[in-house]
Amino acid sequence: MECAEAFWAEMKKENVKPTVVTYGTLVEGYCRMQQVERAKELIDEMKREGIEPNAVVFNPIIDALAEAGRFEEALGMVERFLVCESGPTISTYNSLIKGFCKAGDLVGASRIIKMMISRGVVPTPTTYNYFFWYFSKSGKIEEGMNLYTKMIESGYTLDRLTYHLLLKLLCEEERLELAVQVSKEMKMRGLDMDLATSTMLIHLLCRMYKFEEAVLEFEDMIRRGVVPQYITFQRLKDELHKCGLSGIMSGVGGPGIMSRVGGTLKRDRSRFEMVHTGIGIACGGVRNPVVAYTLLNLFLHFNVVDVPNYWRGLLV
């Protein structure tokens, strides 16, 4: 801020008139440096200069005060903002709600929602996502599902982050049925699951020994063009072993289709190990060959794993 303050002093010396954007830039800088009192002084200075403060100036201060838990001061700034021509915006109220939720004061956050609605400001998905963030952090499943149900019934629009936070909560608490239900509703509303949500659900299915469902979700994930993380491959591989397939690796280079490949297949312990296992299942005719063969085809089709060329002959 030293350079900014020096430039500010130079502007005054040269009699260059600052604009509301100039003040807003300084205010945001002071707030980031946790010098809120100095930022508040700039509002008084603006009024003396005949410049009307707006959201660019007020919002960073309100956000900083709410983030610090100084809610009375933050609400006081909102009241000062009300007398201005522009007035508080959705971001103003969202900053307050974020602060209350971070402090675990959902009653205070709910009061802000009532306040904003009474003033003609409509809540957005971001507004409610702060509640879901708190529920996810605190493991409050019932509260999260209750809010989710009320929003659906009231016709509120939920965004991808809303579902992500709710699925994170349900997966961490191992509420499989609810997690699957929410994921289906998410897809029905035209919101495809991203890498994070798909990975969380697959890992939960694996923890709950729902291997078939995990593979189906994995298949759908790749079909949507979402490239899985290596840890997801590893998790599925571990589940294969848990299902009594620990001897598959030792049979990869054995008789059958593999004997026509030529040469000995190295038992790679790297990121290709999952593919080795899939080949072993598909070619050895042991448990779940169709799933394994489908999985392997998906790997090759989407180039998720760089499979050596001599393996590709298996699929011709």
Side-chain angles (χ1 to χ4, degrees):
M1 287 298 295
E2 291 183 5
C3 291
E5 288 174 335
F7 191 71
W8 175 254
E10 186 66 23
M11 285 179 63
K12 288 187 172 182
K13 182 179 178 181
E14 297 295 330
N15 201 29
V16 177
K17 294 292 184 181
T19 66
V20 67
V21 176
T22 313
Y23 279 103
T25 303
L26 274 175
V27 164
E28 186 170 358
Y30 281 123
C31 288
R32 287 183 178 180
M33 297 292 292
Q34 298 182 344
Q35 298 181 31
V36 182
E37 299 308 318
R38 176 65 183 121
K40 289 163 71 175
E41 290 173 2
L42 287 176
I43 291 183
D44 297 329
E45 183 178 319
M46 289 178 70
K47 291 188 174 182
R48 289 195 299 269
E49 295 291 332
I51 301 174
E52 181 78 3
N54 60 14
V56 174
V57 178
F58 273 105
N59 283 353
I61 297 175
I62 293 170
D63 185 73
L65 291 171
E67 185 76 13
R70 296 163 61 179
F71 298 117
E72 289 188 11
E73 293 177 68
L75 288 169
M77 292 301 297
V78 172
E79 294 304 313
R80 290 184 62 181
F81 196 177
L82 280 170
V83 301
C84 295
E85 185 176 344
S86 57
T89 64
I90 181 64
S91 296
T92 311
Y93 293 108
N94 280 350
S95 290
L96 288 167
I97 291 168
K98 178 179 68 173
F100 277 111
C101 287
K102 182 179 178 181
D105 186 355
L106 300 190
V107 175
S110 299
R111 282 202 308 267
I112 300 302
I113 287 185
K114 292 178 182 177
M115 178 193 298
M116 63 192 290
I117 292 175
S118 69
R119 293 171 177 172
V121 181
V122 180
T124 64
T126 301
T127 307
Y128 290 104
N129 284 345
Y130 293 122
F131 287 86
F132 285 109
W133 173 85
Y134 171 76
F135 295 143
S136 178
K137 180 182 177 183
S138 307
K140 295 185 178 294
I141 295 176
E142 301 305 322
E143 292 86 342
M145 287 304 298
N146 285 340
L147 178 58
Y148 171 74
T149 302
K150 288 179 181 178
M151 290 179 69
I152 294 293
E153 292 175 349
S154 301
Y156 277 103
T157 302
L158 286 75
D159 64 7
R160 194 180 304 277
L161 180 57
T162 309
Y163 284 103
H164 174 89
L165 291 168
L166 190 55
L167 281 170
K168 179 176 183 291
L169 167 62
L170 296 172
C171 289
E172 288 180 349
E173 298 297 323
E174 298 190 344
R175 298 292 292 272
L176 180 59
E177 289 186 8
L178 285 175
V180 171
Q181 173 192 327
V182 170
S183 68
K184 288 180 179 178
E185 291 175 1
M186 178 181 181
K187 293 173 184 176
M188 285 174 56
R189 295 178 181 276
L191 295 172
D192 286 333
M193 295 172 65
D194 58 10
L195 175 62
T197 49
S198 294
T199 300
M200 286 189 293
L201 184 56
I202 290 171
H203 286 210
L204 174 60
L205 288 165
C206 289
R207 289 200 304 274
M208 304 300 287
Y209 303 100
K210 301 289 185 179
F211 178 67
E212 296 281 351
E213 291 88 339
V215 172
L216 289 174
E217 179 58 37
F218 179 81
E219 178 181 336
D220 182 62
M221 182 181 182
I222 297 179
R223 288 191 188 282
R224 288 184 279 108
V226 180
V227 180
Q229 296 174 325
Y230 170 65
I231 190 173
T232 309
F233 291 112
Q234 186 66 35
R235 188 75 183 186
L236 285 171
K237 186 213 71 171
D238 290 343
E239 283 304 315
L240 285 169
H241 287 295
K242 288 179 182 179
C243 290
L245 303 175
S246 57
I248 294 300
M249 292 302 295
S250 61
V252 171
I257 294 178
M258 289 303 299
S259 63
R260 299 201 296 268
V261 174
T264 302
L265 181 63
K266 291 183 179 180
R267 287 156 180 78
D268 194 346
R269 295 290 181 178
S270 70
R271 68 195 296 256
F272 303 124
E273 190 170 306
M274 180 61 200
V275 181
H276 294 193
T277 304
I279 292 174
I281 298 171
C283 301
V286 293
R287 189 173 176 179
N288 245 335
V290 175
V291 171
Y293 197 74
T294 301
L295 185 61
L296 180 57
N297 271 288
L298 286 168
F299 286 167
L300 297 174
H301 179 71
F302 290 99
N303 290 315
V304 174
V305 178
D306 184 17
V307 183
N309 287 331
Y310 59 83
W311 288 357
R312 297 179 186 270
L314 295 173
L315 305 177
V316 176

